[in-house]
Amino acid sequence: MNLILIGAQGSGKGTQAKELAKAFGVHHVSSGDLFRQAAEDGSEVGTQIKALLDRGELVPDELTVKMVLSHISAPALVHDGVLLDGFPRTLAQAQALDDGLSREGRSIDCVVYLDVPRDILVHRLSGRYICKAHQHVYNIESNPPKVAGKCDLDGSDLYQRTDDQGPAVQKRLDTFFNETIQLLDYYRQQQKLRTVNGNQGIDQVTANLVDSIRDCLPQKG
Ligand code: AP5
Ligand code: MG
């Protein structure tokens, strides 16, 4: 089973993907997490990626597609399936994903759009903290850690992402609402799209996502 979670920055993709991956037994693949790892490796490409991330700009399609397709071609991910979070973000990426999967006899089964109003997104991002060890996600208002500054699950330090501050926030949201949003039509035409209201409590959103994906799957083929 191969799933895609589409949503604007701060809509809750990372928060929900961890729960959905457990519920459906698939691997959570976040292109942003892959890029943040690459940005830390000290290579020339890593340094270029870091500059793009800090400015809130998209990494070029060619590099993004190569990185994600090679990651999801690992035998365990082919066998168990994937939940893609943050990829694809452009029509070119969506087409390359379909082509790459079909070359391996695979396909996308279901795409869910996590719908949250823009003003709520800005507020959520300003209160987000991430754990250094495993990128578990917290929020000072809606999902605070039990001990300030420490991850509940692994005890590692929490930090704020550089792109959650300053002009990068609005730039990322502009890219989503001007460009990535076009993917909804692409997947609607393929009759794979479901929409879930992401502006509810975290547990309620999880329950609605699980129902939506279950509802979507039997209709395939
Ligand atoms: P990425 O890491 O994917 O960042 P993003 O798209 O900006 O999305 P976020 O991680 O900000 O939001 P999220 O939806 O995961 O929200 P979260 O669950 O954390 O990408 C980073 C960068 O990498 C990009 O800017 C780009 O440079 C590059 N990149 C990545 N993919 C690329 C691609 N395909 N092509 C090109 N470049 C690419 O939740 C947010 C906050 O809200 C948290 O504090 C959380 O606790 C809280 N929260 C969650 N749900 C709720 C709820 N229901 N109610 C209240 N609070 C909630
Ligand atoms: Mg995320």
Side-chain angles (χ1 to χ4, degrees), residues 139-175:
N139 191 284
I140 44 171
E141 281 182 12
S142 58
N143 186 22
K146 293 193 179 86
V147 177
K150 298 283 176 196
C151 178
D152 293 351
L153 300 171
D154 57 40
S156 70
D157 290 339
L158 302 183
Y159 73 99
Q160 273 199 294
R161 277 172 42 179
T162 45
D163 59 350
D164 278 351
Q165 295 137 39
V169 173
Q170 293 299 342
K171 195 187 275 182
R172 286 157 60 213
L173 289 170
D174 284 346
T175 305

Side-chain angles (χ1 to χ4, degrees), residues 1 3 13 20 24 29 36 54 58 60 68 95 108-109 111 137 144 152 181 189 191-192 195 201:
M1 185 194 305
L3 310 168
K13 301 184 298 295
L20 295 177
F24 291 99
V29 176
R36 278 183 288 280
D54 286 348
L58 291 185
V68 178
Q95 280 154 356
I108 293 298
D109 298 284
V111 180
V137 183
D152 293 351
I181 199 90
Q189 279 162 16
Q191 300 184 325
K192 292 177 179 172
T195 297

Side-chain angles (χ1 to χ4, degrees), residues 177-194:
F177 287 106
N178 292 331
E179 185 166 6
T180 306
I181 199 90
Q182 294 172 27
L183 293 182
L184 302 188
D185 275 340
Y186 180 82
Y187 290 114
R188 197 176 284 120
Q189 279 162 16
Q190 295 189 10
Q191 300 184 325
K192 292 177 179 172
L193 184 73
R194 295 287 186 279

Side-chain angles (χ1 to χ4, degrees), residues 30-213:
S30 156
S31 46
D33 287 348
L34 293 176
F35 282 134
R36 278 183 288 280
Q37 277 164 24
E40 297 296 314
D41 74 4
S43 68
E44 195 180 321
V45 176
T47 307
Q48 287 165 4
I49 290 174
K50 182 166 179 4
L52 289 168
L53 262 62
D54 286 348
R55 290 201 300 269
E57 291 174 20
L58 291 185
V59 176
D61 284 339
E62 200 185 336
L63 178 57
T64 303
V65 166
K66 204 168 140 193
M67 184 193 67
V68 178
L69 287 189
S70 94
H71 187 81
I72 66 174
S73 292
L77 280 70
V78 173
H79 181 266
D80 300 334
V82 292
L83 170 62
L84 299 174
D85 151 10
F87 178 86
R89 283 185 204 219
T90 63
L91 280 172
Q93 290 179 15
Q95 280 154 356
L97 174 64
D98 278 347
D99 292 348
L101 289 177
S102 94
R103 279 195 294 273
E104 296 177 346
R106 305 159 76 194
S107 62
I108 293 298
D109 298 284
C110 178
V111 180
V112 189
Y113 173 46
L114 205 45
D115 188 12
V116 179
R118 187 165 173 152
D119 56 328
I120 302 277
L121 298 167
V122 175
H123 186 71
R124 281 189 191 175
L125 291 174
S126 68
R128 172 165 64 178
Y129 284 83
I130 314 270
C131 94
K132 279 199 175 135
H134 298 103
Q135 289 80 47
H136 295 120
V137 183
Y138 296 89
N139 191 284
I140 44 171
E141 281 182 12
S142 58
N143 186 22
K146 293 193 179 86
V147 177
K150 298 283 176 196
C151 178
D152 293 351
L153 300 171
D154 57 40
S156 70
D157 290 339
L158 302 183
Y159 73 99
Q160 273 199 294
R161 277 172 42 179
T162 45
D163 59 350
D164 278 351
Q165 295 137 39
V169 173
Q170 293 299 342
K171 195 187 275 182
R172 286 157 60 213
L173 289 170
D174 284 346
T175 305
F176 181 83
F177 287 106
N178 292 331
E179 185 166 6
T180 306
I181 199 90
Q182 294 172 27
L183 293 182
L184 302 188
D185 275 340
Y186 180 82
Y187 290 114
R188 197 176 284 120
Q189 279 162 16
Q190 295 189 10
Q191 300 184 325
K192 292 177 179 172
L193 184 73
R194 295 287 186 279
T195 297
V196 163
N197 175 11
N199 190 18
Q200 313 176 80
I202 291 175
D203 293 346
Q204 186 60 51
V205 176
T206 309
N208 290 5
L209 281 167
V210 169
D211 286 349
S212 228
I213 293 169

